[in-house]
Every structure is written in C-alpha cells, then in structure tokens.
Amino acid sequence: MYDYLVVGSGLFGSVFACEANKKGKKVLVIDKRPNIAGNVYTQEIEGINVHLYGAHIFHTNLKHVWEYVNYFAEFNRFTNSPVANYYGELYSLPFNMYTFNKMWGVVAPEEAAAKIEEQKQKAGITEPKNLEEQAIALVGTDIYEKLIKGYTEKQWGRPCNELPAFIIKRLPVRLTFDNNYFNALYQGIPVGGYTQMVANMLQDIEVQLNVDYLENKADLDKLAGKVVYTGSVDAYFDYQLGALEYRSVRFENEVLNKANFQGNAAVNYTDSETPWTRIIEHKWFEFGKDKNGNDLPKTVISREYSSEWNTGEEPYYPVNDEKNSKLYAEYKVLAEKESKIIFGGRLGEYKYYDMDAVIDSALKLAEKVLV
Ligand code: UDP
C-alpha cells in the first residue's frame, strides 16, 4: 500500500517523508503522540510559542540545511546567549571574556589565557580522558567548579570524571567578547513555531497520530515496502541485549502574570543544590512580542529537571559513555540485519544529534535510498 512507513514525526522522520513524497513515493507517517513534530513540538500559550519538550535553537554551519529549513519556515534572528546563575552570581555563557572578567577580574585576552593555562598546569592535565579533565584543560578549575561541575552532574546524573569529554566540547571557549552560544554561521527560531515548520514538511503526506508502532508492528509492517524507524533502537529489539541508558527531562511549566521573569531565554543554574538545571522563558525566543509586534503582557517559564530514564518515560539524551556505546554497537549489528527497517535519528542511532545534523542525516539517507 505504501512505499515507506515512517515511524515518528520528529525532524528525521518528517524530512525523510517529505523527500520521499517529492520523489513520488507513497508515504505514511505514524506517531504515538497526539501531535506531530516530536521533541521540537511547540504549542502557543498566551500568544507565546512554548517549546514543550525542551528549548530548541536552530543553528548550523551547513548551508544546504539552512536553505532547506528556510523553505519551510521564516527564521528570526535569535542568538542564544544563556546566563549562568551560580548562587546569585551571574556569568555570561559560553565561556568568553565577559565570563573571565567576572571570574578573575582579567581584562586582556592574554591574561585570561594565562589564568587558564596556570590552572590547567596545576591540575596536571596533559591528555584529557574524561569530561572533568577536558573542562579543566579548556577553562581551568574555577570555571569548572562554578559553571560546569554542578550543572553537568545534575544534567547527566553521573560524576564528570565518568562522562565522555566530547559533551563539553559542544561549548565554545573564546578569548573575545562574543556571547553567542554557538559557533554557527546560521541561527534562529522559526517564526510561528517549529510545529508549523514540521506541518509544512508533512503537507500532502498522510499522518496518523496516537499509533504505537511497536504495539502493532506486525500489522503495520505489512502496510509498506520499507520502514523508517526513529524510535529507540533498544525498544525496537525489546531490550533483548539490555537497556541503553538515556536521560529524561521533566518540565514544570508556569504562566506568570508579569511581563518579564528573568530577562533572558535561558538561565542555567550551575550549582549542585538547585534541583532544576535551567529555566527557559519562552517569549524571549521571539523578543517578547506577539505576531503583530506588540509586547506580550504575560510570560511562560519552564523549569527543567533532569532524571535517569525509566521505561514508559520520554527518552531525551542518549548517554554516550563507554558502556552504552559498546551496547549500542551490538544493537547496531542487529539493526543492520533487519533488511526492511532503516533506523535513524537521535533515538534510532543512539546519538547526541543536534537538529541540523539530524536533518543532514535524513537528507543523506533520502539521497541514498530514494531513486
Ligand atoms: N554545560 C555546563 N554548564 C552550562 C551549560 C552546559 O557545564 O551552563 C555542559 C553540560 O555538561 C552539558 C554540556 O555542557 O551537558 C552541553 O551543553 P548544551 O547546552 O549543548 O546541552 P543541551 O542544550 O543539548 O542540553
């Protein structure tokens, strides 16, 4: 009946479905949630597009991906500049001259570099083997202690010396006064929200919501020649080799009867005592204005609480440490034997993918398999 059954209407599934449809393939997209767009789903509350499954800021160096998303949405000029709150001391993120000045009183870039080098030497780090050592090698012990350790251990629920170094390399370190969190040529938030952008990708494609693939796998598989599966790879195999570990996030959303709660889209609480990792104030992704450019009188905030994932909860972040990477490699062998199924996306490939990388990977798959 269908050439492709796409399981999951997040970015990977929606981009692939869109490309397959363009090539004249018959596509059915299913999703177990009552809505499309996976974790980029946004919902309008009090005139504000609320990122209900965590804040998503689109950023990329891939020109073709930027052009691709701009076909489905207009992007605003939002630049992510989070603030770190350490017991009421505020620091600029990512780590840049404003951060170093506040931390050490240094003014010149070379003074900051010297301070980092001195702390790195003192810690005796030559070849960083884990996140803790990598962080100290990049920014020194003071910043590690105040801005990284507490946040990271809350976020991942594991000590920094047991986490892979690559996680902290996501953050730029700059000896300039540049507060842009990302080293990306292109950045912004889709005007009107991500849900609308994904809806545009899925225009003309049949979508069925509230359909659980794994519960009805045998029947659903019969519907299509090929299946693109974007759910968790270990769930697909009924955890037969053991469960991969994920971090989950719980959001406490609040509508406040005030115009400005924290003056910024993201404030990270980097101490170890505050139970949440960060607070997102969604209106600032769109500069606090409604569709007509008027100031919004209310605000919506989300506190994020990170926890270990348990069956039945939403998995958000794969824990790409040694143990899980080994287990994933075994699942990958099984996945490659499933001739009818293609695994993709953050959960299907157990990879800490950013949105642009997910889109790029779906486009590459489309190029490879669609004729
Ligand atoms: N991180 C940190 N302090 C911060 C922000 C981030 O130590 O204030 C570390 C933390 O380990 C986190 C990693 O940097 O997991 C990557 O952060 P990013 O903001 O890229 O994470 P995401 O937005 O994907 O949750």
Side-chain angles (χ1 to χ4, degrees):
M1 274 165 79
Y2 297 95
D3 297 304
Y4 286 95
L5 170 70
V6 175
V7 181
S9 62
L11 283 177
F12 191 94
S14 298
V15 167
F16 182 83
C18 179
E19 292 307 290
N21 182 56
K22 269 193 221 162
K23 288 263 157 92
K25 305 290 178 199
K26 200 150 187 282
V27 185
L28 171 64
V29 176
I30 57 170
D31 201 298
K32 67 177 173 186
R33 287 189 189 164
N35 55 268
I36 57 161
N39 283 358
V40 303
Y41 177 66
T42 48
Q43 190 181 308
E44 201 181 304
I45 301 172
E46 299 291 343
I48 300 162
N49 288 306
V50 177
H51 300 213
L52 279 183
Y53 295 93
H56 285 77
I57 299 135
F58 198 90
H59 57 99
T60 189
N61 277 314
L62 304 170
K63 193 160 184 231
H64 68 282
V65 171
W66 182 239
E67 284 168 354
Y68 189 82
V69 292
N70 273 270
Y71 182 78
F72 300 100
E74 183 192 338
F75 277 72
N76 72 16
R77 59 143 195 89
F78 179 80
T79 299
N80 192 25
S81 305
V83 169
N85 182 330
Y86 180 77
Y87 294 116
E89 280 175 42
L90 302 184
Y91 291 91
S92 182
L93 291 174
F95 313 115
N96 69 80
M97 286 305 296
Y98 290 112
T99 329
F100 306 139
N101 174 264
K102 177 95 187 240
M103 189 68 71
W104 299 313
V106 295
V107 171
E110 54 193 20
E111 288 176 87
K115 198 84 192 168
I116 294 170
E117 189 54 33
E118 178 196 313
Q119 298 198 345
K120 178 181 162 186
Q121 294 284 337
K122 213 165 159 196
I125 292 161
T126 44
E127 272 179 43
K129 288 182 294 293
N130 53 52
L131 194 152
E132 175 174 283
E133 293 183 7
Q134 182 66 69
I136 295 170
L138 286 171
V139 286
T141 39
D142 290 342
I143 291 179
Y144 169 68
E145 293 291 342
K146 285 190 170 182
L147 305 185
I148 297 175
K149 191 173 191 299
Y151 185 93
T152 300
E153 294 187 348
K154 282 192 289 189
Q155 160 77 11
W156 295 98
R158 288 158 178 75
C160 287
N161 59 11
E162 287 175 20
L163 285 165
F166 83 87
I167 292 176
I168 200 68
K169 284 204 204 144
R170 290 168 59 83
L171 305 194
V173 178
R174 301 196 189 102
L175 295 173
T176 63
F177 291 90
D178 178 359
N179 274 336
N180 184 349
Y181 200 60
F182 302 116
N183 277 324
L185 287 171
Y186 312 102
Q187 182 170 180
I189 303 276
V191 176
Y194 284 94
T195 308
Q196 188 53 51
M197 177 179 93
V198 174
N200 291 342
M201 289 174 179
L202 295 175
Q203 208 184 7
D204 309 323
I205 297 172
E206 192 181 338
V207 179
Q208 288 177 14
L209 300 173
N210 301 302
V211 177
D212 190 318
Y213 172 71
L214 294 178
E215 275 181 13
N216 306 287
K217 181 172 161 39
D219 287 340
L220 289 164
D221 279 348
K222 283 186 210 141
L223 298 179
K226 282 265 179 200
V227 176
V228 172
Y229 173 82
T230 69
S232 306
V233 59
D234 54 344
Y236 178 92
F237 291 106
D238 203 18
Y239 308 101
Q240 60 180 267
L241 305 174
L244 288 163
E245 291 173 310
Y246 301 86
R247 293 298 286 173
S248 192
V249 190
R250 181 171 65 80
F251 300 95
E252 255 177 38
N253 305 319
E254 235 185 297
V255 179
L256 301 178
N257 236 336
K258 57 167 90 172
N260 190 355
F261 170 72
Q262 62 182 17
N264 204 35
V267 175
N268 294 359
Y269 286 76
T270 58
D271 65 279
S272 59
E273 283 171 274
T274 307
W276 52 86
T277 50
R278 56 189 168 196
I279 301 182
I280 300 298
E281 188 171 10
H282 301 266
K283 71 189 316 188
W284 303 123
F285 289 130
E286 296 171 296
F287 315 111
K289 307 278 186 195
D290 69 12
K291 288 183 192 103
N292 304 315
N294 300 317
D295 287 334
L296 289 152
K298 293 191 183 178
T299 195
V300 181
I301 62 165
S302 303
R303 288 187 175 79
E304 291 186 20
Y305 299 82
S306 181
S307 64
E308 200 65 15
W309 171 83
N310 292 302
T311 334
E313 295 170 347
E314 294 289 347
Y316 283 83
Y317 296 86
V319 181
N320 292 116
D321 62 8
E322 225 170 279
K323 182 178 98 187
N324 287 295
S325 302
K326 231 177 110 219
L327 182 55
Y328 171 64
E330 292 172 32
Y331 273 117
K332 195 160 182 262
V333 173
L334 291 186
E336 276 157 9
K337 287 189 193 142
E338 295 285 292
S339 56
K340 188 172 169 163
I341 321 282
I342 301 169
F343 294 77
R346 199 181 253 220
L347 300 176
E349 295 175 64
Y350 196 66
K351 194 169 169 188
Y352 191 178
Y353 264 136
D354 283 332
M355 288 182 281
D356 64 328
V358 160
I359 292 172
D360 189 40
S361 139
L363 289 173
K364 286 203 171 98
L365 174 69
E367 211 169 288
K368 196 172 116 194
V369 302
L370 298 171
V371 281

